[in-house]
Amino acid sequence: MLCAMTGEPVPGAVAPVGGERPWTDADSALWHTARLLAAVESGTIPDEGVRTLFPLHEGEVAIAQGSYTLDSMRAIGDGSYQRSGAFAFGTGTLGLALTAGTLAANASHNNAARAQAAADAQVVWRPDHGGILTVTNLGFWIVTSTGTFWWDWGSVDLMQVVAFNTVVLQGRSERGPVTWRVYSYWAELLFVLWARARHPGHPQLAGRGWLPDRWEAWAAQVGHPLPALP
């Protein structure tokens, strides 16, 4: 099995047996997250040879890089909508039928617009953007189609692993507070480095709750025992 970052074999890797699901790049990233966390805890800043197209800060080392997508918790409207008031007046049997049809169409349009406006005003998870995520010892960078954006650990106030390769975070951007749900092979690495820097007592870090249930035992069973974790 190849390392997702270097293309070299993962130590001790063997092919899954029987009906086991295959080892994936996502599993490799999680395995390396454990290794990188162990290195950081030992006082070493890992240098994985990750190169970036943008300059890093002094003393900053890129540790891992990969694609990401994210949802944001937000509304896309304020509940208002443009009411249609078009009206046609006709006489005779045909004219009255046309008038009734116009009124019915307007009412249908207004009902649909009102329902859509109400839905747009709800604060829910909405697809936002994606790009390339680079995790460093000082924070993380996201590169999108509109620019390159830097987040240091101090700008993130809350983070939680909510599923395999998925974290939810709350932070303070230049445009105000954001709540994001980030999907990436390196979501767990993002979490453990943030938690170690900002919140060492985070229950998911202290209790190793950032690892999927029974994943560690499964990884060892298929030939990928985790390196010693702090």
Side-chain angles (χ1 to χ4, degrees):
M1 176 55 55
L2 300 183
C3 168
M5 293 181 292
T6 66
E8 297 178 353
V10 175
V14 297
V17 296
E20 296 283 358
R21 73 167 179 84
W23 184 268
T24 66
D25 286 343
D27 294 307
S28 289
L30 196 59
W31 188 94
H32 281 285
T33 292
R35 178 181 63 81
L36 294 166
L37 176 60
V40 170
E41 288 288 354
S42 71
T44 302
I45 298 177
D47 188 351
E48 303 301 302
V50 176
R51 299 294 175 254
T52 66
L53 298 178
F54 48 87
L56 299 174
H57 298 104
E58 183 177 355
E60 187 176 20
V61 177
I63 297 175
Q65 189 175 79
S67 62
Y68 80 93
T69 59
L70 70 78
D71 302 330
S72 60
M73 179 71 75
R74 60 190 173 90
I76 56 174
D78 59 6
S80 62
Y81 67 99
Q82 184 66 41
R83 185 177 183 278
S84 174
F87 180 72
F89 178 77
T91 60
T93 302
L94 180 59
L96 292 175
L98 291 174
T99 299
T102 299
L103 292 174
N106 287 342
S108 177
H109 171 81
N110 288 332
N111 288 339
R114 181 167 54 249
Q116 185 62 55
D120 290 346
Q122 298 299 309
V123 178
V124 297
W125 289 117
R126 300 182 187 277
D128 204 311
H129 62 271
I132 300 298
L133 168 72
T134 302
V135 184
T136 79
N137 59 316
L138 301 181
F140 64 96
W141 296 81
I142 54 176
V143 179
T144 74
S145 60
T146 59
T148 301
F149 304 95
W150 157 247
W151 284 76
D152 61 12
W153 300 133
S155 297
V156 179
D157 298 319
L158 176 150
M159 198 180 305
Q160 180 183 9
V161 178
V162 296
F164 193 30
N165 295 160
T166 309
V167 296
V168 167
L169 67 83
Q170 290 184 331
R172 290 166 280 114
S173 75
E174 294 179 351
R175 297 182 179 181
V178 299
T179 299
W180 285 349
R181 182 167 58 191
V182 182
Y183 306 91
S184 172
Y185 286 166
W186 299 112
E188 286 86 357
L189 180 63
L190 193 66
F191 166 77
V192 297
L193 295 184
W194 169 83
R196 187 180 181 280
R198 287 291 312 277
H199 188 14
H202 193 296
Q204 284 191 321
L205 180 66
R208 293 168 64 169
W210 55 274
L211 288 168
D213 190 34
R214 296 185 293 276
W215 184 88
E216 184 174 357
W218 171 79
Q221 179 184 348
V222 298
H224 300 266
L226 262 64
L229 287 172

